[in-house]
Amino acid sequence: MNFPRDFLWGAATAAFQIEGANTEDGRGESIWDRFCRTEGNIADGSDGSQACDHYHRWPDDLDLAKWLNLNAWRFSVAWPRIQPTADGKINQKGLDFYSRLVDGMLERGLAPYMTLYHWDLPQYLQDKGGWESRETVDRFVEYATIVGRALGDRVASIATFNEPFVTAYLGHWMGVHAPGIQNPATSVQVTHHQLLSHGRAVQALRQEGVKAPLGIVLNLAPVHPASDRSQDIRASDRHDVAQNRLYLDGLFLGKYPERCTELLGVEPKITEGDMEVISTPIDFLGVNYYRRAIGSADGVPSPHFLRKENREDLAQRQAPQSSSTNGAAQDKEFKRTVELPPGAQITAMGWEVYHEGLRECLEDIKRRYANAPPIYITESGAAFDDEMVDGRVDDPRRTAYLQGQIAALGRAMSNGVDVRGYFVWSLLDNFEWALGYSKRFGITHIDYATQQRTPKESALWYRHFVGTQR
Ligand code: IFM
């Protein structure tokens, strides 16, 4: 398929995963800095203090993106660089960094796609309750307004949040991401407060006169029951509510799914008027797609989504412990992950390769939400155990993955879904959260000892492919 001439072809990144320099120019502490310091939280014991050193090497990285023929770059702003201290005072050096970065993109013909929150909450806000506290909503609106005023006239779009489901679920239900909380009730409240922050920020930015299109980025997954047994269908419904419906229904229908409380066992505290704010119309929806979910009553959580101590006793946790607030035990009932179908191809994350799922997600949005705005695929990619041989990284499985994703996207567009751009996750190998540097998602290899960047064969394929689309 030939994509429209003005279609965006980009690559996505996130501040904490690539910047490093986490004490430089007045940056404050984030929940991820703190989380990395606790032994056992990060698989390889690493942290984000150096990462890809993008804070210093950003001109080279932008040159690389330009060389790859890309016309868009997705990045996130680190909140602790902008408001490093609890008094909320603006750190001009932090704003200046992003201002230079955005100008650098514009000079190279890269449209800046900015995300305000990609998981690095200032630690001082966590100390006061983090996303569970409604006060954080006000603080987010203040932060969004500061960044919107400084950069809103130059960026191509502003996404409020990246993957609020991951913050809620991995950060507050399973406790494998910062801030490491394991409490389902907190997790659901965190979902509500992130969505409320999103809606309030969209309203505030519009009031400020910010012209950039405004939206949010969700990670979606079609959910298929493992069988037609009623227990498996219920497990699927539960997962679908937790990952997809809470967010999509909230944003586009202005209400949470009717079976939300029954299926999740907890309900958020909602104040009158919240749902109207959450469903404030937006200009675009970002969709991150990696894999489908399979709902099974016999499923066990993926070990990656368990804290170390819970991974060890996974085998013993076959009996449901319904009254416990221990997230892992609760997740046994969540039944998120099951064994993959025989013959399934998997990535280094243990994730099934299932391209049709992207088409399914996109068509599901079109079918269910008449008011959904144009879509961007804001992340799509795969981790593999790459090897550098004689200065080359031959990664045919990643190339095939990207080809499969782009073909599925093309099918969805042929079926009428309005998609405007595609961003590979990720331009560079980077800090893969609780898995540290052990998983490589980049189309560019990073040698972390020397910070040498080497485009992999998949990058060369992407460069060629994008060239044919112009
Ligand atoms: O690395 C993450 C990214 O930060 C958010 N989306 C999924 C990626 C791969 O796990």
Side-chain angles (χ1 to χ4, degrees), residues 14 17 118-119 162-163 288 290 349 351 379 425 430 432-433 441:
Q17 295 180 273
H118 198 127
W119 309 352
N162 179 73
E163 303 184 356
N288 293 355
Y290 288 91
M349 295 290 281
W351 295 353
E379 285 182 29
W425 183 268
N430 59 56
E432 178 54 25
W433 306 109
F441 271 93

PDB file of all heavy atoms in Angstrom, residues 14 17 118-119 162-163 288 290 349 351 379 425 430 432-433 441, ligand 1:
ATOM      1  N   ALA A  14      11.527   8.508  24.922  1.00  0.00           N
ATOM      2  CA  ALA A  14      10.976   9.064  26.166  1.00  0.00           C
ATOM      3  C   ALA A  14      12.131   9.548  27.037  1.00  0.00           C
ATOM      4  O   ALA A  14      13.198   8.913  27.063  1.00  0.00           O
ATOM      5  CB  ALA A  14      10.174   8.016  26.924  1.00  0.00           C
ATOM      6  N   GLN A  17      14.164   7.319  29.500  1.00  0.00           N
ATOM      7  CA  GLN A  17      14.784   6.159  28.879  1.00  0.00           C
ATOM      8  C   GLN A  17      16.046   6.493  28.083  1.00  0.00           C
ATOM      9  O   GLN A  17      16.849   5.614  27.810  1.00  0.00           O
ATOM     10  CB  GLN A  17      13.764   5.447  27.976  1.00  0.00           C
ATOM     11  CG  GLN A  17      12.617   4.862  28.791  1.00  0.00           C
ATOM     12  CD  GLN A  17      11.592   4.160  27.928  1.00  0.00           C
ATOM     13  OE1 GLN A  17      10.673   4.794  27.431  1.00  0.00           O
ATOM     14  NE2 GLN A  17      11.745   2.867  27.732  1.00  0.00           N
ATOM     15  N   HIS A 118       5.609  10.916  30.613  1.00  0.00           N
ATOM     16  CA  HIS A 118       5.979   9.535  30.279  1.00  0.00           C
ATOM     17  C   HIS A 118       6.632   8.940  31.521  1.00  0.00           C
ATOM     18  O   HIS A 118       7.805   8.588  31.538  1.00  0.00           O
ATOM     19  CB  HIS A 118       6.895   9.510  29.056  1.00  0.00           C
ATOM     20  CG  HIS A 118       6.997   8.158  28.376  1.00  0.00           C
ATOM     21  ND1 HIS A 118       6.778   7.975  27.028  1.00  0.00           N
ATOM     22  CD2 HIS A 118       7.294   6.922  28.858  1.00  0.00           C
ATOM     23  CE1 HIS A 118       6.952   6.696  26.709  1.00  0.00           C
ATOM     24  NE2 HIS A 118       7.275   6.039  27.811  1.00  0.00           N
ATOM     25  N   TRP A 119       5.881   8.975  32.630  1.00  0.00           N
ATOM     26  CA  TRP A 119       6.124   8.174  33.835  1.00  0.00           C
ATOM     27  C   TRP A 119       7.115   8.720  34.863  1.00  0.00           C
ATOM     28  O   TRP A 119       7.316   8.095  35.901  1.00  0.00           O
ATOM     29  CB  TRP A 119       6.561   6.742  33.463  1.00  0.00           C
ATOM     30  CG  TRP A 119       5.652   6.079  32.478  1.00  0.00           C
ATOM     31  CD1 TRP A 119       4.438   6.528  32.017  1.00  0.00           C
ATOM     32  CD2 TRP A 119       5.873   4.829  31.812  1.00  0.00           C
ATOM     33  NE1 TRP A 119       3.897   5.644  31.123  1.00  0.00           N
ATOM     34  CE2 TRP A 119       4.758   4.596  30.966  1.00  0.00           C
ATOM     35  CE3 TRP A 119       6.902   3.894  31.851  1.00  0.00           C
ATOM     36  CZ2 TRP A 119       4.644   3.456  30.168  1.00  0.00           C
ATOM     37  CZ3 TRP A 119       6.791   2.759  31.056  1.00  0.00           C
ATOM     38  CH2 TRP A 119       5.670   2.542  30.231  1.00  0.00           C
ATOM     39  N   ASN A 162       1.411   9.372  28.377  1.00  0.00           N
ATOM     40  CA  ASN A 162       1.753   8.153  27.656  1.00  0.00           C
ATOM     41  C   ASN A 162       1.301   6.952  28.475  1.00  0.00           C
ATOM     42  O   ASN A 162       1.713   6.785  29.618  1.00  0.00           O
ATOM     43  CB  ASN A 162       3.260   8.042  27.444  1.00  0.00           C
ATOM     44  CG  ASN A 162       3.605   6.758  26.701  1.00  0.00           C
ATOM     45  OD1 ASN A 162       3.348   6.663  25.507  1.00  0.00           O
ATOM     46  ND2 ASN A 162       4.127   5.761  27.395  1.00  0.00           N
ATOM     47  N   GLU A 163       0.438   6.132  27.893  1.00  0.00           N
ATOM     48  CA  GLU A 163       0.053   4.841  28.479  1.00  0.00           C
ATOM     49  C   GLU A 163      -0.348   4.939  29.955  1.00  0.00           C
ATOM     50  O   GLU A 163       0.305   4.336  30.826  1.00  0.00           O
ATOM     51  CB  GLU A 163       1.179   3.821  28.313  1.00  0.00           C
ATOM     52  CG  GLU A 163       1.595   3.592  26.872  1.00  0.00           C
ATOM     53  CD  GLU A 163       2.655   2.501  26.713  1.00  0.00           C
ATOM     54  OE1 GLU A 163       3.122   1.966  27.729  1.00  0.00           O
ATOM     55  OE2 GLU A 163       3.010   2.195  25.559  1.00  0.00           O
ATOM     56  N   ASN A 288      -0.493   3.117  20.990  1.00  0.00           N
ATOM     57  CA  ASN A 288       0.711   2.291  21.057  1.00  0.00           C
ATOM     58  C   ASN A 288       0.248   0.849  20.989  1.00  0.00           C
ATOM     59  O   ASN A 288      -0.606   0.426  21.782  1.00  0.00           O
ATOM     60  CB  ASN A 288       1.455   2.490  22.381  1.00  0.00           C
ATOM     61  CG  ASN A 288       2.039   3.882  22.520  1.00  0.00           C
ATOM     62  OD1 ASN A 288       1.975   4.690  21.585  1.00  0.00           O
ATOM     63  ND2 ASN A 288       2.605   4.175  23.682  1.00  0.00           N
ATOM     64  N   TYR A 290       1.539  -3.235  20.776  1.00  0.00           N
ATOM     65  CA  TYR A 290       2.611  -4.231  20.810  1.00  0.00           C
ATOM     66  C   TYR A 290       2.108  -5.652  20.608  1.00  0.00           C
ATOM     67  O   TYR A 290       2.748  -6.461  19.966  1.00  0.00           O
ATOM     68  CB  TYR A 290       3.386  -4.151  22.134  1.00  0.00           C
ATOM     69  CG  TYR A 290       4.246  -2.905  22.184  1.00  0.00           C
ATOM     70  CD1 TYR A 290       3.740  -1.713  22.716  1.00  0.00           C
ATOM     71  CD2 TYR A 290       5.525  -2.897  21.657  1.00  0.00           C
ATOM     72  CE1 TYR A 290       4.516  -0.558  22.722  1.00  0.00           C
ATOM     73  CE2 TYR A 290       6.314  -1.749  21.665  1.00  0.00           C
ATOM     74  CZ  TYR A 290       5.803  -0.585  22.195  1.00  0.00           C
ATOM     75  OH  TYR A 290       6.563   0.556  22.187  1.00  0.00           O
ATOM     76  N   MET A 349      10.800  -9.940  24.754  1.00  0.00           N
ATOM     77  CA  MET A 349       9.983  -9.626  25.925  1.00  0.00           C
ATOM     78  C   MET A 349       9.063 -10.804  26.267  1.00  0.00           C
ATOM     79  O   MET A 349       8.308 -10.745  27.231  1.00  0.00           O
ATOM     80  CB  MET A 349       9.103  -8.400  25.654  1.00  0.00           C
ATOM     81  CG  MET A 349       9.857  -7.116  25.434  1.00  0.00           C
ATOM     82  SD  MET A 349      10.637  -6.502  26.932  1.00  0.00           S
ATOM     83  CE  MET A 349       9.258  -5.743  27.788  1.00  0.00           C
ATOM     84  N   TRP A 351       6.674 -11.501  24.252  1.00  0.00           N
ATOM     85  CA  TRP A 351       5.396 -11.032  23.715  1.00  0.00           C
ATOM     86  C   TRP A 351       5.136 -11.676  22.358  1.00  0.00           C
ATOM     87  O   TRP A 351       6.028 -11.741  21.501  1.00  0.00           O
ATOM     88  CB  TRP A 351       5.411  -9.507  23.544  1.00  0.00           C
ATOM     89  CG  TRP A 351       5.529  -8.751  24.838  1.00  0.00           C
ATOM     90  CD1 TRP A 351       5.481  -9.279  26.104  1.00  0.00           C
ATOM     91  CD2 TRP A 351       5.737  -7.340  24.999  1.00  0.00           C
ATOM     92  NE1 TRP A 351       5.648  -8.278  27.039  1.00  0.00           N
ATOM     93  CE2 TRP A 351       5.808  -7.079  26.385  1.00  0.00           C
ATOM     94  CE3 TRP A 351       5.876  -6.279  24.106  1.00  0.00           C
ATOM     95  CZ2 TRP A 351       5.993  -5.807  26.908  1.00  0.00           C
ATOM     96  CZ3 TRP A 351       6.064  -5.000  24.620  1.00  0.00           C
ATOM     97  CH2 TRP A 351       6.120  -4.767  26.003  1.00  0.00           C
ATOM     98  N   GLU A 379       3.563   4.348  18.964  1.00  0.00           N
ATOM     99  CA  GLU A 379       4.639   3.392  19.250  1.00  0.00           C
ATOM    100  C   GLU A 379       4.296   2.062  18.601  1.00  0.00           C
ATOM    101  O   GLU A 379       3.148   1.596  18.680  1.00  0.00           O
ATOM    102  CB  GLU A 379       4.801   3.131  20.758  1.00  0.00           C
ATOM    103  CG  GLU A 379       5.470   4.232  21.522  1.00  0.00           C
ATOM    104  CD  GLU A 379       5.645   3.902  23.004  1.00  0.00           C
ATOM    105  OE1 GLU A 379       5.763   2.717  23.360  1.00  0.00           O
ATOM    106  OE2 GLU A 379       5.656   4.856  23.793  1.00  0.00           O
ATOM    107  N   TRP A 425       8.885   2.368  17.795  1.00  0.00           N
ATOM    108  CA  TRP A 425       9.522   2.328  19.108  1.00  0.00           C
ATOM    109  C   TRP A 425      10.675   1.363  19.014  1.00  0.00           C
ATOM    110  O   TRP A 425      10.452   0.201  18.818  1.00  0.00           O
ATOM    111  CB  TRP A 425       8.556   1.884  20.225  1.00  0.00           C
ATOM    112  CG  TRP A 425       9.278   1.942  21.540  1.00  0.00           C
ATOM    113  CD1 TRP A 425       9.967   0.930  22.148  1.00  0.00           C
ATOM    114  CD2 TRP A 425       9.447   3.108  22.369  1.00  0.00           C
ATOM    115  NE1 TRP A 425      10.561   1.383  23.299  1.00  0.00           N
ATOM    116  CE2 TRP A 425      10.252   2.719  23.458  1.00  0.00           C
ATOM    117  CE3 TRP A 425       9.004   4.430  22.292  1.00  0.00           C
ATOM    118  CZ2 TRP A 425      10.618   3.606  24.467  1.00  0.00           C
ATOM    119  CZ3 TRP A 425       9.364   5.306  23.300  1.00  0.00           C
ATOM    120  CH2 TRP A 425      10.163   4.882  24.372  1.00  0.00           C
ATOM    121  N   ASN A 430      17.422   1.530  24.630  1.00  0.00           N
ATOM    122  CA  ASN A 430      17.315   2.441  25.777  1.00  0.00           C
ATOM    123  C   ASN A 430      16.984   1.700  27.055  1.00  0.00           C
ATOM    124  O   ASN A 430      16.926   0.468  27.074  1.00  0.00           O
ATOM    125  CB  ASN A 430      16.272   3.535  25.474  1.00  0.00           C
ATOM    126  CG  ASN A 430      14.913   2.938  25.191  1.00  0.00           C
ATOM    127  OD1 ASN A 430      14.374   2.195  26.004  1.00  0.00           O
ATOM    128  ND2 ASN A 430      14.341   3.244  24.025  1.00  0.00           N
ATOM    129  N   GLU A 432      14.883   0.061  29.437  1.00  0.00           N
ATOM    130  CA  GLU A 432      13.545  -0.537  29.347  1.00  0.00           C
ATOM    131  C   GLU A 432      12.989  -0.758  30.766  1.00  0.00           C
ATOM    132  O   GLU A 432      12.731  -1.864  31.211  1.00  0.00           O
ATOM    133  CB  GLU A 432      13.591  -1.819  28.510  1.00  0.00           C
ATOM    134  CG  GLU A 432      12.289  -2.588  28.362  1.00  0.00           C
ATOM    135  CD  GLU A 432      11.090  -1.800  27.849  1.00  0.00           C
ATOM    136  OE1 GLU A 432      11.254  -0.787  27.159  1.00  0.00           O
ATOM    137  OE2 GLU A 432       9.961  -2.223  28.170  1.00  0.00           O
ATOM    138  N   TRP A 433      12.866   0.313  31.500  1.00  0.00           N
ATOM    139  CA  TRP A 433      12.210   0.337  32.808  1.00  0.00           C
ATOM    140  C   TRP A 433      12.712  -0.782  33.727  1.00  0.00           C
ATOM    141  O   TRP A 433      13.916  -0.900  33.907  1.00  0.00           O
ATOM    142  CB  TRP A 433      10.690   0.333  32.605  1.00  0.00           C
ATOM    143  CG  TRP A 433      10.282   1.474  31.685  1.00  0.00           C
ATOM    144  CD1 TRP A 433       9.836   1.351  30.389  1.00  0.00           C
ATOM    145  CD2 TRP A 433      10.344   2.899  31.926  1.00  0.00           C
ATOM    146  NE1 TRP A 433       9.599   2.598  29.837  1.00  0.00           N
ATOM    147  CE2 TRP A 433       9.902   3.561  30.757  1.00  0.00           C
ATOM    148  CE3 TRP A 433      10.731   3.670  33.031  1.00  0.00           C
ATOM    149  CZ2 TRP A 433       9.836   4.951  30.647  1.00  0.00           C
ATOM    150  CZ3 TRP A 433      10.664   5.068  32.932  1.00  0.00           C
ATOM    151  CH2 TRP A 433      10.217   5.674  31.762  1.00  0.00           C
ATOM    152  N   PHE A 441      15.034  -2.404  22.142  1.00  0.00           N
ATOM    153  CA  PHE A 441      13.922  -2.095  21.242  1.00  0.00           C
ATOM    154  C   PHE A 441      14.350  -1.210  20.071  1.00  0.00           C
ATOM    155  O   PHE A 441      13.558  -0.929  19.184  1.00  0.00           O
ATOM    156  CB  PHE A 441      12.823  -1.333  21.999  1.00  0.00           C
ATOM    157  CG  PHE A 441      11.782  -2.201  22.678  1.00  0.00           C
ATOM    158  CD1 PHE A 441      11.926  -2.590  23.997  1.00  0.00           C
ATOM    159  CD2 PHE A 441      10.643  -2.603  21.992  1.00  0.00           C
ATOM    160  CE1 PHE A 441      10.957  -3.371  24.626  1.00  0.00           C
ATOM    161  CE2 PHE A 441       9.675  -3.381  22.607  1.00  0.00           C
ATOM    162  CZ  PHE A 441       9.828  -3.763  23.933  1.00  0.00           C
TER     163      PHE A 441
HETATM  164  O1  IFM B   1       9.666   1.175  26.560  1.00  0.00           O
HETATM  165  C1  IFM B   1       8.290   1.211  26.598  1.00  0.00           C
HETATM  166  C2  IFM B   1       7.788   2.640  26.474  1.00  0.00           C
HETATM  167  O2  IFM B   1       8.303   3.462  27.461  1.00  0.00           O
HETATM  168  C3  IFM B   1       6.287   2.685  26.568  1.00  0.00           C
HETATM  169  N1  IFM B   1       5.684   1.734  25.674  1.00  0.00           N
HETATM  170  C4  IFM B   1       6.172   0.392  25.648  1.00  0.00           C
HETATM  171  C5  IFM B   1       7.684   0.400  25.485  1.00  0.00           C
HETATM  172  C6  IFM B   1       8.225  -1.044  25.442  1.00  0.00           C
HETATM  173  O3  IFM B   1       7.926  -1.710  26.629  1.00  0.00           O
END
